[in-house]
Structure formats: C-alpha cells, structure tokens
Amino acid sequence: MFNALVVRKDEESGKTSAAVEEIALDDLPAGEVTVAVEYSTVNYKDGLCIGPGGGLVRNYPHVPGIDFAGTVEASEDARYKPGDKVVLTGWRVGEAHWGGYAQKARVKADWLVPLPKGLDTRQAMAVGTAGFTAMLSVMALEDHGIKDGPVLVTGAAGGVGSVATAILANLGHEVAGVTGRPETEEYLRGLGATQIVAREEINETTKRPLEAETWGGCVDAVGGDMLARVLGQMKYGASVAAVGLAGGAGLPATVIPFLLRGVNLLGIDSVMQPYDNRLRAWERIASDLPMDKLEAMVRPATLADLPGLGRDILKGQVQGRVVVDVNA
C-alpha cells in the first residue's frame, strides 16, 4: 500500500472531494513502466483536476498530477530499466490517466523522458510542465528570430512566466515582466527582469490596431485582451509565443499586426510534443536555466497540501513553482 491524493465524485450532487488515501499497486492503471514517484508539482490544470475537473477528468475515483519525476521500479520496455531516473509531463496524464500525486505511478513508456544530466528529480519538478512550456516558448521565439529590444513576459510571476523570465535573462535578453501584483517586483527582478510592467497598463484593448513598436518578442501566458494589445506593440517581424488563457480564450484583435508588421503568433503545446523536441527542451533547461534562480521560485509542499493549493492556483494566488514531495 502507498499514499495517493484521490479525488472522488458524489454522483448525486456532482461535487468532488480530494483527500490522501492508501491505495494498492493493483489499483494503478495499465502501462509498461512503474515509477516510484519522488516529486510532482502544481499547475493550473492540476487545480481543475483536484477540484471540479474542468471537463478534463473522465472517470472517478481519480489521481491527479500532470507531472512527476522519480525512479523506475519495473519496466516491460527495453528503453527503461529499474533504477533509471525519469520525468513525465503531458500526454493527458493526471487528466484522462492517473498521474503523479501518488508515491507510485504506472504509465506508457512512450510518455517518459530520461532525466537530463545536470538535473535531479526535485529540480525537474521545480521546472515541471510550466518550465518545460517556458523553454518550448523560448525555443520557438529563437527559431523565428528574437528582435532587438526587451522581451515581454506576461503573467511573469506565475509558473511559466517565472521560468521564462529566468531563462531569457540568462540568455542575455532584456526582460520586461508583466504582473498585477506589485509585491512580486523584487521576486521578478531577482529572476532577471529589468523592467516591471503593471498589468493595468497593458490589460485593456485599444481601438488602434498598431501602437509604438516596443517588444522584440513575447511569452504570453495570459491571452485575451492582453494578448490582443501586445500584438499591436510588437516590433516588425517579432513573435509572440502564446501559452495560456488566464485572461480568457477570446482574442479581440485585428489582422493588421500580422499584415503590416509581419508579427508571428506561435501556439505552444506541451502536452503532445514529439519525443525529440522534448529531449531538446529538457537539455536546454539543464544548460540554460540557472539553478539558483530556479531554487528562488520553489515553494515546498506535500500531498496533504494539494487540495488547498489547487484552489489557490485557480485564483491566481500561487507564485513561482510548487514542488510536491510525495513521500513527505
């Protein structure tokens, strides 16, 4: 028997509840590789799956946790053997398939990535899906050419934004961080941001489809009105990597920035990324994300803390990266 955060649903009321329970190895879903989980983390999707589900969870009872890192215990696949350190993000694990909020997990071998050299399992979960997505965003901007001038990061104090800020600054870019929480300014400057932009300055749409060319690139974790506004402020040929929709799924914009300034809007998906690009991103994380900056983002947690953290992240009240020690 081992511990897991189990979410159950009352069929009559439709309400869900989450609590730490003991489950057995036989309870785990089918898969080729069994992993002794060491660490997980908390993402927006996790908040949904711990709580009402957000349409992501198919069946109950359910074990959330879209990320985990740990050690292979048993494997039916030749690529992995007992003792190997592995990382998992995406593939709808923690949504449609039981995830990492347990001391053991069983998954398909194709979903795993070897832990890159230079990272331990705790650091890998300080990165997690949010940091992995941030690295994919930076790579996409680089592939399209980051222009001169500051790179804007919206939702900069969140999980994706924090890692994107640290990586971009470490690569030598001037970083402007957007935040709606003035108290995060010192935190963001510690990650390398040289400019702080108040959310209210950039969160409203304007009737002008184009404004002054300001940003050489952008990692946008907000979407909605803010993304629409940012598109009109990009430099000629610059790109926006769109990774989130905390500000809404709508995009009240015109095509003018694309037609007159050649702006690129790059959609970033971390869930179904091909294996080779996953390896590339994790190797870049190990080399380009300063570990001291990563540690400054970390907030430790246990399985018992997850119901509260799930509620907090849905309210935008979680700063940086939460690292869940599933064995604590």
Side-chain angles (χ1 to χ4, degrees):
M1 302 292 286
F2 56 91
N3 291 331
L5 183 80
V6 180
V7 181
R8 298 185 179 276
K9 186 174 184 178
D10 184 287
E11 294 302 328
E12 290 188 9
S13 67
K15 293 183 178 180
T16 59
S17 60
V20 178
E21 301 180 13
E22 283 193 339
I23 62 174
L25 200 60
D26 289 344
D27 294 324
L28 294 177
E32 296 96 14
V33 184
T34 302
V35 178
V37 179
E38 296 167 17
Y39 295 96
S40 186
T41 184
V42 181
N43 303 278
Y44 191 86
K45 280 185 178 179
D46 294 315
L48 291 173
C49 295
I50 293 170
L56 300 175
V57 180
R58 294 177 178 176
N59 300 297
Y60 293 91
H62 179 67
V63 175
I66 69 171
D67 302 336
F68 66 76
T71 304
V72 172
E73 277 197 346
S75 175
E76 300 170 6
D77 188 286
R79 288 172 289 179
Y80 297 102
K81 63 183 185 301
D84 287 349
K85 298 290 186 179
V86 291
V87 180
L88 184 144
T89 62
W91 301 112
R92 298 213 64 204
V93 170
E95 304 171 39
H97 190 93
W98 280 18
Y101 291 165
Q103 292 171 325
K104 297 183 190 295
R106 188 184 290 134
V107 296
K108 292 183 179 181
D110 287 343
W111 296 345
L112 297 168
V113 173
L115 183 73
K117 293 181 180 179
L119 290 181
D120 59 32
T121 53
R122 181 179 180 276
Q123 290 169 330
M125 285 299 96
V127 174
T129 282
F132 176 64
T133 304
M135 189 72 250
L136 291 173
S137 302
V138 172
M139 286 162 45
L141 293 181
E142 290 174 340
D143 290 345
H144 286 78
I146 298 177
K147 307 305 176 184
D148 291 338
V151 179
L152 188 71
V153 178
T154 70
V160 174
S162 292
V163 180
T165 298
I167 291 173
L168 287 163
N170 188 56
L171 292 171
H173 298 287
E174 182 183 351
V175 181
V178 180
T179 180
R181 294 174 283 171
E183 67 274 12
T184 64
E185 178 172 348
E186 183 178 353
Y187 167 75
L188 291 173
R189 291 195 183 278
L191 297 180
T194 56
Q195 181 180 349
I196 305 300
V197 180
R199 182 169 57 197
E200 57 268 21
E201 291 181 16
I202 203 169
N203 199 35
E204 295 182 358
T205 56
T206 175
K207 293 182 179 180
R208 292 177 294 166
L210 295 176
E211 298 182 73
E213 296 183 48
T214 306
W215 315 115
C218 174
V219 176
D220 174 60
V222 176
D225 292 346
M226 187 177 295
L227 174 55
R229 182 77 180 274
V230 167
L231 288 170
Q233 298 178 349
M234 303 305 296
K235 292 195 171 185
Y236 189 91
S239 301
V240 179
V243 302
L245 43 67
L251 185 58
T254 76
V255 297
I256 298 300
F258 309 117
L259 301 181
L260 298 188
R261 285 194 184 154
V263 171
N264 303 298
L265 182 57
L266 312 175
I268 307 298
D269 168 64
S270 65
V271 177
M272 307 302 291
Q273 278 289 319
Y275 181 79
D276 288 348
N277 213 37
R278 287 178 182 272
L279 282 182
R280 178 187 168 209
W282 278 106
E283 288 169 358
R284 285 288 306 275
I285 287 166
S287 64
D288 294 336
L289 175 59
M291 289 302 110
D292 60 331
K293 298 291 193 297
L294 181 66
E295 188 60 35
M297 306 176 199
V298 170
R299 171 181 174 180
T302 66
L303 289 176
D305 297 325
L306 288 169
L309 286 168
R311 291 189 294 269
D312 289 345
I313 200 166
L314 294 180
K315 297 175 184 176
Q317 295 175 348
V318 174
Q319 174 181 299
R321 305 293 298 127
V322 176
V323 176
V324 182
D325 183 345
V326 301
N327 296 298

